[in-house]
Amino acid sequence: MATEHDEYMGSLKAQLAKLFEVSLKVTVPNELDVEPLVAACNGKFGDYQCNNAMGLWSKIKGKGAPFRGPPAVGEAIKNNLPTSEMIESCSVAGPGFVNVVLSKNWMAKSIQKMLIEGIDTWAPLPPVKTAVVDFSSPNIAKEMHVGHLRSTIIGDTLARMLEFSKVKVLRRNHVGDWGTQFGMLIEFLFEKFPNFEDATETAIGDLQAFYKASKQRFDADPAFKERAQQAVVRLQGGEDKYRRAWAQICQISRTEFHKVYQRLGVHLEEKGESFYNPYIPGVIEALNKQGLVEESQGARVIFIEGINIPLIVVKSDGGFNYASTDLAALWYRLNEEKAEWIIYVTDVGQQQHFDMFFKAAKRAGWLPQGDSSYPKASHVGFGLVLGEDGKRFRTRNTEVVRLVDLLDEAKVRSKAALIERGKGEEWTEVEIESTAEAVGYGAVKYADLKNNRLTNYTFNFDQMLNDKGNTAVYLLYAHARICSIIRRSGKDIEELKNKGTLVLGHKDERDLGLHLLQFAEVVEEACTNLLPNVLCDYLYNLSEIFSKFYSNPECKVIGSDMETSRLLLCEATAVVMRKCFDLLGITPIYKI
């Protein structure tokens, strides 16, 4: 039985589904496990719709059911609904669609309850306790470039949405810190710095240049190449000097990566490829015992049904590769970390690799065959970042763009816009710096997240930093304006939350209230389908619906008879906007 406390929790869709579940059991008692099909609708006939009648009719006709067609089934579903203060009225339309109009009083109470108890009471509750989000994953000794931007931003938002939904999230940075290139880098380090432990970030300078120089040396000098190949063997054999040099190179890279993560406000726990290395032989041996590993052209492989190339797990020279590491990492995550959902955020170019690797795990019985049960693994692919010319985004001299430079540039431009608007005289230096950072970094993140991640998008500072249209700047300013309305009223909003009453009397107030209440199911949809753009659409629509309410003379806020109620509606909008910003990794601003 639902308690009073449950009455205002979470997703509207889920709460209505519970009511329709009761009705369906009464309407068709012989049909087991009928899932209620509840969806938001356009408002002409109602707020939500239950669409079970047609499907049920096709199941029950001819079984002696007492109905004559889908509309009669719809009527029965409507009539068997338990009474609930949530529902104002119901009607049946067309082939049995049951339309529901929500009660304005119930909606107002729900919003006010959230204001008192906090937005966390609206968090969805997914069916998992622990998830791994594997994202960012740059390579040691290479600069983080714009391609890593998408992985980092998308991965961070997915992690934040799951954390908000009370899931324990292991935020994993699966850095490329193992492999043959380290022999080359270590030998080059020994050459340049005989006392290699003195080599610091400052001494080495640009890591990218260091990597390139070592690669040129490797390609041009056979003696160096041979030493580099020996160095890999010695490193992998655990020889102390080589291990220390490897650790030194990794540490210099980490310092560089940290600068990017700090600017983006992203937290990750590094468990690189090297961490899983000791587990690989045991995992491959276990797969071998199951009869999954076969010999093919000197290599050891797993054949995948429906794919004509096998998954190579041991190369013909006996070395391991990405697939070996990924299998060991998955085994570790499932068995040691007890993760129920493992999410990999990489570009769409790696789709086939993940497809094969997940199928191999299913063959081994590590993952269930279907994609709807847990534990499960998901690949979150994303498209390219393009330049104005429609090609992969690069600097003028065809180098990849350094991520640090990109973020700094966004902040510089954002600061210039603030000074142009005269904020230099009004604000302190600290306020200008922090606002420029929030707006600049927020603009870069939002421009990425608002697109469906599978598509390519064009990187354009002018569009990102535009204060009109679907941009972070517009949304951050919209939030700041709502905060200034509340400030200008001179009222103590905390006192109003507890003593005032929210009423949704006008149509524009009701529209805004309904959109606020749909927040939980939007987060749930964005999480389930791993699509951050769903949340961005919601946030942009929220600011547009608020604007319609606020600019309507009939909905005057300050000085009107309904001032208290409308201030509470403004506050609820600001609270939901802030939570959306938080989930997108964007810092809100409170004044403009």
Side-chain angles (χ1 to χ4, degrees), residues 309-350:
I309 50 167
L311 186 72
I312 299 171
V313 293
V314 184
K315 295 187 293 188
S316 52
D317 64 2
F320 299 130
N321 61 1
Y322 280 137
S324 341
T325 305
D326 280 345
L327 283 164
L330 180 61
W331 179 89
Y332 183 87
R333 289 162 177 181
L334 290 168
N335 293 285
E336 298 293 323
E337 294 177 323
K338 307 288 185 237
E340 294 145 288
W341 196 5
I342 298 132
I343 297 164
Y344 298 83
V345 187
T346 76
D347 65 88
V348 287
Q350 296 186 47

Side-chain angles (χ1 to χ4, degrees), residues 388 406 409-410 413 444 459-466:
E388 297 296 318
L406 207 64
E409 171 80 358
R413 286 178 183 233
V444 171
F459 195 95
N460 179 318
F461 274 125
D462 293 336
Q463 278 175 359
M464 283 176 189
L465 294 163
N466 194 335

Side-chain angles (χ1 to χ4, degrees), residues 56-278:
L56 273 179
W57 173 246
S58 64
K59 272 186 171 180
I60 62 179
K61 66 179 172 186
K63 289 187 185 174
F67 308 111
R68 292 189 171 185
V73 180
E75 283 292 341
I77 294 171
K78 181 190 86 151
N79 296 335
N80 289 325
L81 261 179
T83 53
S84 163
E85 63 166 322
M86 187 179 183
I87 296 175
E88 194 161 288
S89 65
C90 279
S91 59
V92 177
F97 299 131
V98 183
N99 292 303
V100 175
V101 175
L102 297 173
S103 147
K104 286 191 288 198
N105 289 345
W106 180 86
M107 288 164 68
K109 274 194 209 170
S110 303
I111 294 167
Q112 201 154 357
K113 193 175 175 68
M114 180 277 285
L115 283 173
I116 293 165
E117 296 190 356
I119 187 100
D120 286 0
T121 57
W122 279 4
L125 297 170
V128 290
K129 289 192 177 68
T130 305
V132 170
V133 182
D134 177 328
F135 67 109
S136 195
S137 312
N139 286 313
I140 294 291
K142 290 187 179 177
E143 289 279 9
M144 279 183 81
H145 57 75
V146 74
H148 294 117
L149 182 68
R150 296 210 75 180
S151 176
T152 307
I153 291 173
I154 294 166
D156 182 51
T157 289
L158 296 176
R160 284 167 181 265
M161 290 196 294
L162 286 162
E163 284 158 350
F164 173 60
S165 308
K166 318 280 195 295
V167 175
K168 178 187 175 189
V169 178
L170 307 175
R171 295 161 155 261
R172 283 293 134 81
N173 204 1
H174 187 85
V175 296
D177 66 352
W178 202 244
T180 50
Q181 78 274 23
F182 279 95
M184 171 182 96
L185 288 163
I186 289 168
E187 273 309 313
F188 198 64
L189 184 73
F190 289 162
E191 241 175 46
K192 291 277 168 203
F193 299 94
N195 298 332
F196 68 88
E197 269 143 339
D198 299 340
T200 58
E201 195 190 340
T202 328
I204 281 184
D206 187 341
L207 256 183
Q208 192 84 354
F210 184 83
Y211 186 91
K212 273 188 176 166
S214 69
K215 179 83 174 83
Q216 280 168 348
R217 189 74 209 283
F218 184 85
D219 293 340
D221 181 342
F224 178 84
K225 185 174 185 172
E226 194 167 314
R227 287 203 304 280
Q229 285 163 340
Q230 277 306 304
V232 178
V233 177
R234 293 172 135 187
L235 169 66
Q236 293 182 347
E239 211 170 299
D240 184 54
K241 180 184 173 185
Y242 289 82
R243 278 281 167 148
R244 291 202 323 272
W246 168 76
Q248 183 77 351
I249 293 165
C250 290
Q251 193 46 50
I252 293 165
S253 264
R254 253 181 229 120
T255 309
E256 278 298 304
F257 299 157
H258 183 64
K259 290 177 187 171
V260 173
Y261 297 138
Q262 212 173 6
R263 282 171 176 75
L264 289 171
V266 170
H267 303 284
L268 281 145
E269 184 196 356
E270 186 182 306
K271 269 193 169 62
E273 292 174 357
S274 61
F275 176 86
Y276 302 104
N277 215 50

Side-chain angles (χ1 to χ4, degrees), residues 477-492:
Y477 286 1
H479 171 263
R481 281 190 197 97
I482 298 171
C483 295
S484 89
I485 294 163
I486 297 167
R487 279 197 302 272
R488 282 206 323 273
S489 76
K491 296 285 171 17
D492 178 343

Side-chain angles (χ1 to χ4, degrees), residues 552-589:
N552 186 334
E554 293 173 25
C555 294
K556 184 183 173 196
V557 178
I558 298 173
S560 76
D561 297 348
M562 301 300 295
E563 180 181 84
T564 295
S565 170
R566 286 172 185 160
L567 283 171
L568 288 171
L569 198 50
C570 288
E571 174 68 5
T573 305
V575 167
V576 171
M577 283 187 89
R578 280 197 286 280
K579 182 42 77 176
C580 289
F581 287 139
D582 177 49
L583 297 177
L584 297 168
I586 294 171
T587 305
I589 58 172

Side-chain angles (χ1 to χ4, degrees), residues 24-34 60 63:
L24 288 163
K25 279 182 180 145
V26 178
T27 309
V28 283
N30 300 328
E31 297 297 320
L32 302 175
D33 303 324
V34 180
I60 62 179
K63 289 187 185 174

Side-chain angles (χ1 to χ4, degrees), residues 248-446:
Q248 183 77 351
I249 293 165
C250 290
Q251 193 46 50
I252 293 165
S253 264
R254 253 181 229 120
T255 309
E256 278 298 304
F257 299 157
H258 183 64
K259 290 177 187 171
V260 173
Y261 297 138
Q262 212 173 6
R263 282 171 176 75
L264 289 171
V266 170
H267 303 284
L268 281 145
E269 184 196 356
E270 186 182 306
K271 269 193 169 62
E273 292 174 357
S274 61
F275 176 86
Y276 302 104
N277 215 50
Y279 297 93
I280 295 176
V283 165
I284 289 174
E285 186 45 40
L287 292 169
N288 192 39
K289 278 185 182 155
Q290 286 182 269
L292 298 183
V293 182
E294 302 175 44
E295 293 287 324
S296 174
Q297 298 174 6
R300 300 181 73 198
V301 306
I302 296 174
F303 284 99
I304 311 290
E305 198 180 330
I307 299 176
N308 54 11
I309 50 167
L311 186 72
I312 299 171
V313 293
V314 184
K315 295 187 293 188
S316 52
D317 64 2
F320 299 130
N321 61 1
Y322 280 137
S324 341
T325 305
D326 280 345
L327 283 164
L330 180 61
W331 179 89
Y332 183 87
R333 289 162 177 181
L334 290 168
N335 293 285
E336 298 293 323
E337 294 177 323
K338 307 288 185 237
E340 294 145 288
W341 196 5
I342 298 132
I343 297 164
Y344 298 83
V345 187
T346 76
D347 65 88
V348 287
Q350 296 186 47
Q351 180 67 54
Q352 189 184 41
H353 165 74
F354 282 102
D355 188 33
M356 291 172 70
F357 150 54
F358 295 163
K359 281 179 174 156
K362 286 177 181 179
R363 267 195 76 189
W366 297 358
L367 297 171
Q369 286 304 322
D371 286 330
S372 54
S373 39
Y374 295 91
K376 73 173 176 180
S378 304
H379 176 233
V380 174
F382 55 82
L384 296 172
V385 182
L386 306 175
E388 297 296 318
D389 55 1
K391 294 180 181 155
R392 193 186 279 262
F393 189 43
R394 296 184 183 280
T395 56
R396 285 205 176 88
N397 60 359
T398 75
E399 287 292 325
V400 290
V401 181
R402 288 178 74 228
L403 211 36
V404 172
D405 298 342
L406 207 64
L407 294 166
D408 290 348
E409 171 80 358
K411 183 183 169 183
V412 165
R413 286 178 183 233
S414 175
K415 186 175 177 180
L418 289 170
I419 288 165
E420 202 177 299
R421 292 175 54 207
K423 300 297 171 191
E425 287 78 61
E426 291 175 40
W427 292 2
T428 65
E429 185 60 26
V430 170
E431 284 176 323
I432 285 191
E433 283 293 313
S434 63
T435 306
E437 210 161 273
V439 173
Y441 300 165
V444 171
K445 287 185 176 186
Y446 189 81

